[in-house]
Amino acid sequence: MNIAFLASEVAPFAKSGGLADVSAALPAYLGRRGHDVRLFMPLYSTLNIPAETELVPVEYLHHLPVALGPHVHHFSVFTGKLPGSEVDVYFIGCPALYDRDRLYTGDWDDHLRFSFLTQAALKCCQHMGWAPDIVHCNDWHTALGPLYLKSTVAWDRGIFGNARSVLTIHNIAYQGWFSAETIGNLGLDGWAHMLHQEDLARGMVNFMRNGLMWADAITTVSRTYAKEIQTEAYGNGLEGLLRQRSSRVVGIVNGVDYSIWSPEVDPRLPRNYGVDDVEEGKAECRRYLLEQLKLPTEPEAPVLGIVSRLTAQKGFELIREGLGQALRYLNVKLAVLGSGEAGLEEYFLGLERQFPTKVCFYRGYSDELAHLIEAGSDLFIMPSRFEPCGLNQMYSLKYGTVPIVRKTGGLADTVQLFDRRTGEGNGIVFEHYDQAGFTWALRTALELYQDQEAWATMRRNGMLADYSWDRQGAEYEKLYGLLTR
Ligand code: ADP
Ligand code: GLC
């Protein structure tokens, strides 16, 4: 199949969270399966280009115009291989839109930046004379793709006549809401009547909603989240539409790229390890992590790890009571990597001041430290309020780091509460979103840590679980197959 994959971030070129990991690993999987996958993303000025990647200009994709109402911008395309694969990435160059110091700016022209990306990607298909069977869009940024396919470019039957659209919801909390005044800037020309009219009447345009209305298939990144977003508590106002279209909604749990996230091959670790030498391997990684963070390595203590965007989604408001008690009375250490909301950063800075020999908070973004924390921690804390899928808990399982999660979204699909009697389960799961729930979970985890045999079983269960793309990616192929039958 010919698959056009559109995303606002793709690892390692540009990443703010899990979307980038998925937008690299899924296309790589599809490429390995023999499909012709072409990835489209912006040529941000902040792009991280690994040494192995050579970017070359595409001559026939040079200085092409896209008219978004009065805003006419030109783009030129560079291409390079997605690392570790044969997949071609097409970087849409348009300095006026993508020369910014961040991926997501909140600037007045965000609607332009991403409707431009979507339109430019479709235009590339036309100029390449390449007819996609599937146009796979991701999150609000490229959500207008399904609408464009059914309106502005539908005339081009030679290229788009057989194209079916898929829109994947990675996070319904971000929908791309803009003022209705922007509708003249979306390049819809005579097709604006296809936009959701009640939103317009209220003075708004919602990219995600319009995408969900027109997509041939809607996917989201776990089975549980697919059900949750059809309820008021999780749907952020789109639950009604999703219920109407529920026969088109499918949940496919994300996979993990084990060539990047596995302690057996991870080049960032002081020592590689697998399920058979996990004890020794983790001991060395733990020591190394603590040294890097300038925390004492003696006396030995379990290390709790956090790697996260610091936002309300991630549930850190719940951890104060339980974590405060553990740090005050028990021999534990805490390694935190993340940045985000000021209140949460303040909280972790405060913990570090209060417990300088036990807590280290690295405020910012560091790929290297993210890997080290996965390997050097014993427990990984992820008490999310909602979690479409979550990748870190799956990385933790593979690294023998027991996840403590709340039972929601992809966390519910991938982590099962350990049962000491049966020896089944791979982590600690709590249900109710409150302080008591997390406090119970942390206490349960630290008690289990004292029981070497139970701990070893739980950890082993996690390390042996297979969340590779080879399994999850097949679900996407099945869906594409149904759509194009
Ligand atoms: P989300 O996409 O909601 O942020 P996920 O668990 O799906 O959550 O994915 C998060 C990804 O971003 C993981 O690859 C994680 O390692 C990475 N990440 C998050 N915060 C940081 C950070 N501060 N530094 C490095 N990597 C981070
Ligand atoms: C979003 C979600 C996260 C998911 C990721 C990749 O950022 O918050 O749960 O794993 O997308 O799909």
Side-chain angles (χ1 to χ4, degrees):
M1 271 183 273
N2 289 350
I3 302 161
F5 197 95
L6 283 57
S8 58
E9 50 182 274
V10 179
F13 304 116
K15 170 165 168 177
S16 77
L19 171 61
D21 290 9
V22 174
S23 301
L26 174 56
Y29 163 82
L30 294 166
R32 280 199 300 281
R33 296 277 301 151
H35 301 293
D36 183 352
V37 193
R38 305 189 185 185
L39 248 172
F40 298 89
M41 68 174 291
L43 185 78
Y44 298 110
S45 53
T46 52
L47 227 49
N48 163 43
I49 307 289
E52 72 206 83
T53 308
E54 194 197 344
L55 284 199
V56 291
V58 185
E59 262 163 45
Y60 61 95
L61 297 176
H62 179 71
H63 202 65
L64 301 174
V66 170
L68 298 167
H71 306 276
V72 182
H73 290 291
H74 291 78
F75 69 96
S76 298
V77 174
F78 285 73
T79 186
K81 296 278 180 212
L82 184 67
S85 84
E86 285 304 309
V87 171
D88 289 315
V89 185
Y90 293 89
F91 296 92
I92 308 293
C94 179
L97 297 177
Y98 304 130
D99 275 14
R100 309 280 164 94
D101 57 359
R102 282 170 299 163
L103 305 187
Y104 310 120
T105 60
D107 292 345
W108 73 272
D109 59 354
D110 257 3
H111 67 289
L112 280 181
R113 298 175 72 223
F114 294 107
S115 52
F116 184 88
L117 167 65
T118 312
Q119 292 229 349
L122 298 178
K123 200 158 211 170
C124 287
C125 297
Q126 293 174 302
H127 281 259
M128 295 189 290
W130 182 71
D133 300 298
I134 297 290
V135 177
H136 192 146
C137 301
N138 292 279
D139 270 353
W140 72 263
H141 318 93
T142 51
L144 294 184
L147 170 55
Y148 292 142
L149 284 170
K150 290 202 160 54
S151 60
T152 56
V153 300
W155 61 269
D156 193 350
R157 299 200 52 79
I159 297 296
F160 298 115
N162 292 322
R164 297 288 175 273
S165 61
V166 176
L167 175 57
T168 296
I169 304 169
H170 295 265
N171 195 338
I172 208 159
Y174 303 97
Q175 299 180 1
W177 280 103
F178 300 101
S179 150
E181 287 162 21
T182 62
I183 61 168
N185 299 342
L186 303 180
L188 280 168
D189 304 323
W191 302 95
H193 62 277
M194 289 173 74
L195 291 168
H196 187 265
Q197 294 300 307
E198 283 160 43
D199 278 347
L200 292 181
R202 282 184 281 144
M204 306 296 287
V205 178
N206 178 324
F207 275 36
M208 183 77 102
R209 192 198 304 275
N210 286 296
L212 297 177
M213 281 166 53
W214 295 106
D216 294 316
I218 298 165
T219 76
T220 188
V221 289
S222 67
R223 291 182 300 277
T224 298
Y225 195 61
K227 288 188 215 129
E228 287 174 340
I229 54 177
Q230 298 184 45
T231 68
E232 205 181 325
Y234 290 90
N236 289 52
L238 298 182
E239 60 277 3
L241 172 59
L242 286 164
R243 279 200 301 270
Q244 272 170 29
R245 302 214 67 205
S246 65
S247 63
R248 302 267 174 171
V249 179
V250 42
I252 303 176
V253 177
N254 286 332
V256 174
D257 186 340
Y258 289 128
S259 70
I260 297 175
W261 292 97
S262 159
E264 289 171 32
V265 298
D266 194 331
R268 296 172 178 90
L269 311 189
R271 166 193 166 138
N272 291 113
Y273 61 90
V275 71
D276 294 329
D277 57 348
V278 54
E279 201 57 55
E280 302 84 340
K282 283 194 81 73
E284 197 166 328
C285 292
R286 189 189 304 119
R287 200 172 325 112
Y288 184 72
L289 170 68
L290 294 173
E291 281 165 11
Q292 297 293 308
L293 298 179
K294 310 226 164 10
L295 289 173
T297 51
E298 302 290 335
E300 280 200 7
V303 177
L304 314 174
I306 292 176
V307 178
S308 187
R309 294 183 293 117
L310 299 180
T311 70
Q313 168 187 348
K314 300 296 177 178
F316 295 120
E317 62 182 337
L318 301 190
I319 69 178
R320 293 170 194 237
E321 187 184 281
L323 198 59
Q325 283 173 9
L327 287 167
R328 196 164 301 118
Y329 301 117
L330 302 177
N331 179 28
V332 296
K333 300 224 157 57
L334 174 69
V336 184
L337 165 63
S339 63
E341 285 169 21
L344 285 169
E345 292 188 353
E346 262 314 306
Y347 165 67
F348 286 117
L349 286 170
L351 272 190
E352 192 181 53
R353 275 195 300 272
Q354 199 181 348
F355 303 102
T357 59
K358 290 183 163 179
V359 178
C360 179
F361 172 38
Y362 182 103
R363 181 167 49 167
Y365 187 90
S366 161
D367 222 18
E368 164 124 18
L369 189 53
H371 286 251
L372 281 182
I373 290 180
E374 289 292 2
S377 305
D378 298 284
L379 284 154
F380 194 88
I381 299 178
M382 211 164 162
S384 305
R385 189 143 67 94
F386 62 93
E387 194 62 71
C389 180
L391 297 170
N392 275 311
Q393 83 282 9
M394 292 193 274
Y395 300 159
S396 299
L397 289 170
K398 187 68 178 174
Y399 283 75
T401 303
V402 172
I404 301 182
V405 305
R406 193 175 85 82
K407 192 171 183 178
T408 184
L411 301 176
D413 290 357
T414 55
V415 185
Q416 293 84 38
L417 177 61
F418 182 71
D419 182 336
R420 226 191 270 236
R421 281 169 308 137
T422 61
E424 284 167 13
N426 55 14
I428 310 296
V429 184
F430 67 101
E431 197 145 346
H432 296 291
Y433 188 75
D434 53 27
Q435 298 257 349
F438 177 76
T439 304
W440 170 85
L442 183 58
R443 203 175 43 224
T444 305
L446 291 171
E447 272 168 24
L448 268 173
Y449 183 79
Q450 303 301 329
D451 179 344
Q452 281 186 9
E453 201 179 320
W455 190 261
T457 307
M458 170 165 59
R459 193 164 60 183
R460 188 180 168 80
N461 292 346
M463 291 181 85
L464 291 177
D466 179 6
Y467 291 108
S468 64
W469 275 106
D470 287 341
R471 295 183 66 161
Q472 315 304 116
E475 304 268 322
Y476 281 98
E477 286 186 279
K478 202 158 80 190
L479 173 70
Y480 296 163
L482 286 174
L483 287 172
T484 53
R485 201 167 44 187

